[in-house]
Amino acid sequence: MNKKVAVALSGGIDSSVTALLLKQQGYDVVGFTARTTNSEESKIVVNNAGKVAQKLGIPFFEVDVINTFKEKVIDYFEDSYKFGETPNPCIMCNKFIKWGKLYDYAINELKADYIATGHYANIKKINGIYKLYPASDEYKDQLYFLFLLNQEQLMRTLFPLSKYKKEDVRKIAIENDLPSKSSKESQDICFIKPPMTTKKYLNNILEPKKGLFIEKRTGKKLGKHSGYWQYTVGQRKGIGLAAPEALYVTEIDPVTNIVYVGYKDELFSNELILKSINWSYPINSKEFDANVKIRYNMQAVSAKIKISNDKIIIKFDIPVSAIAKGQACVIYNKEDGHLMGGTFI
């Protein structure tokens, strides 16, 4: 009997081709998707996913995750800004929705052997341990968002797109006339649709609150703003302050509603101290060299990792810019780039 795989369909190209490839490989494929909100957009996603399943001739199921998505993704996103942090909702969605509600539904309700998604990542089993490796398409690599997956989840997860470039995936969708063949890349935050922006979204849920821009170095008042949540550490555009050279947000204090600003050199740090790390597998060494990312859209940088009883000290070989509370710090193996672990800063 063929192994059963539940494919998380979004109606987009990546998940559609994932389902197609697995079907071609002889798996017993079923499609399912999450209804994340009561919005028209969420209905469209479910509808589009259903069309893909119909085209492929596979069973299709809809899973209501509205309450969990509101609590674990939307509320987390809003609260992060209220606390002066920079959230990463995709990581929380992976934890609580894709490898939370959907994973549980796939294994327990659909009795699937595996769950599959359209993520660009590669799982290898080495000496009995499952490890996440970069995908072939370095521009689409998504390891950063997957650091909370555990060994049991990795054991029952398939990433068929790991060997493909994005343009090849699009070509497969066109050649097989999948309903998603002309769909665009999905944007980062699925519940904030253009022309809505993060700033407008936050201003709709939070009352304007006058506060000060203060130069961190001198304590000098440079101007006023209407709410600290409109800014993130490292931000340069949209501050609206006149200065001899570009000013950047260096720190946010949600208690006093002060946005501290400074010049580019003030953003750099040599060290980051973390309380704990979610390791993907047991780490035996207490000190080692690794590559580290403190946000998704950056090149991983070389660093020395030291694990003590109550903290993890990361010393960067070259200073990194704009370490922001709430973002994820992800650690990769120096030799082959596999994911070792990560945590929120």
Side-chain angles (χ1 to χ4, degrees):
M1 191 169 154
N2 294 346
K3 294 279 187 182
K4 188 174 185 180
V5 186
V7 179
L9 294 172
S10 66
I13 283 185
D14 293 336
S15 61
S16 305
V17 172
T18 292
L20 172 72
L21 292 172
L22 290 169
K23 193 180 177 193
Q24 289 174 344
Q25 288 166 25
Y27 286 99
D28 175 13
V29 179
V30 299
F32 68 149
T33 196
R35 183 183 288 278
T36 54
T37 65
N38 274 318
S39 66
E40 200 54 45
E41 287 85 1
S42 190
K43 285 180 191 169
I44 291 167
V45 167
V46 174
N47 223 8
N48 289 344
K51 286 176 185 172
V52 171
Q54 192 175 11
K55 170 73 179 178
L56 293 172
I58 60 174
F60 178 69
F61 302 88
E62 178 187 332
V63 187
D64 184 334
V65 301
I66 292 171
N67 291 339
T68 306
F69 190 81
K70 170 77 172 71
E71 180 191 344
K72 300 296 187 182
V73 182
I74 297 177
D75 289 354
Y76 148 80
F77 176 82
E78 295 174 1
D79 288 345
S80 292
Y81 279 103
K82 287 176 193 172
F83 298 143
E85 297 179 351
T86 307
N88 199 309
C90 295
I91 293 171
M92 298 302 270
C93 184
N94 282 337
K95 177 178 172 64
F96 292 105
I97 305 301
K98 294 189 180 81
W99 281 273
K101 288 286 186 181
L102 289 185
Y103 180 88
D104 291 344
Y105 187 86
I107 304 302
N108 300 322
E109 301 296 325
L110 298 177
K111 306 298 179 192
D113 298 290
Y114 301 102
I115 182 174
T117 70
H119 281 86
Y120 287 79
N122 191 12
I123 300 171
K124 295 181 186 178
K125 186 182 181 183
I126 298 169
N127 298 327
I129 293 172
Y130 292 86
K131 296 181 180 180
L132 275 164
Y133 281 80
S136 296
D137 193 335
E138 59 183 295
Y139 299 106
K140 285 289 293 175
D141 185 67
Q142 291 170 313
L143 293 196
Y144 181 85
F145 302 104
L146 301 170
F147 71 83
L148 289 172
L149 298 196
N150 61 38
Q151 284 292 302
E152 184 198 333
Q153 291 165 333
L154 290 173
M155 180 174 67
R156 304 189 78 161
T157 297
L158 300 176
F159 292 134
L161 303 188
S162 64
K163 297 173 178 64
Y164 292 87
K165 296 272 196 277
K166 178 69 185 201
E167 58 264 30
D168 298 327
V169 172
R170 190 173 289 280
K171 195 175 169 190
I172 292 168
I174 293 166
E175 285 170 354
N176 290 273
D177 195 30
L178 295 179
S180 58
K181 63 186 178 186
S182 55
S183 67
K184 294 174 184 169
E185 283 284 278
S186 57
Q187 75 275 18
D188 287 343
I189 303 169
C190 64
F191 54 89
I192 300 179
K193 299 285 184 188
M196 180 63 80
T197 62
T198 297
K199 189 172 180 177
K200 285 180 191 169
Y201 178 92
L202 293 168
N203 284 340
N204 281 346
I205 61 166
L206 297 167
E207 289 288 320
K209 189 179 175 186
K210 284 190 178 174
L212 294 170
F213 284 114
I214 290 182
E215 188 174 21
K216 181 75 175 172
R217 205 178 267 170
T218 63
K220 188 179 170 186
K221 295 173 186 174
L222 297 183
K224 293 179 180 177
H225 59 78
S226 57
Y228 63 87
W229 55 84
Q230 299 173 67
Y231 306 93
T232 56
V233 170
Q235 182 177 333
R236 178 173 68 88
K237 292 179 181 174
I239 299 174
L241 295 173
E245 33 179 313
L247 286 169
Y248 295 78
V249 175
T250 60
E251 191 182 327
I252 293 162
D253 188 338
V255 178
T256 59
N257 194 21
I258 292 172
V259 176
Y260 291 97
V261 296
Y263 299 105
K264 194 170 186 177
D265 63 312
E266 294 173 62
L267 285 172
F268 288 90
S269 308
N270 292 304
E271 188 176 273
L272 175 60
I273 297 173
L274 303 165
K275 288 178 184 173
S276 63
I277 292 257
N278 183 82
W279 298 109
S280 292
Y281 57 90
I283 303 292
N284 299 320
S285 182
K286 294 291 182 187
E287 288 189 41
F288 55 91
D289 291 339
N291 290 330
V292 177
K293 277 190 179 189
I294 54 157
R295 59 183 162 272
Y296 173 60
N297 59 349
M298 70 175 281
Q299 281 288 111
V301 295
S302 182
K304 288 176 173 56
I305 316 293
K306 186 177 180 182
I307 304 169
S308 70
N309 293 334
D310 57 345
K311 61 191 174 188
I312 293 94
I313 302 162
I314 299 175
K315 290 195 174 180
F316 300 102
D317 291 357
I318 51 170
V320 295
S321 173
I323 296 176
K325 285 182 185 174
Q327 280 289 290
C329 173
V330 180
I331 299 173
Y332 305 84
N333 182 272
K334 188 99 173 172
E335 276 70 50
D336 59 16
H338 76 261
L339 178 78
M340 296 182 74
T343 191
F344 288 104
I345 297 166

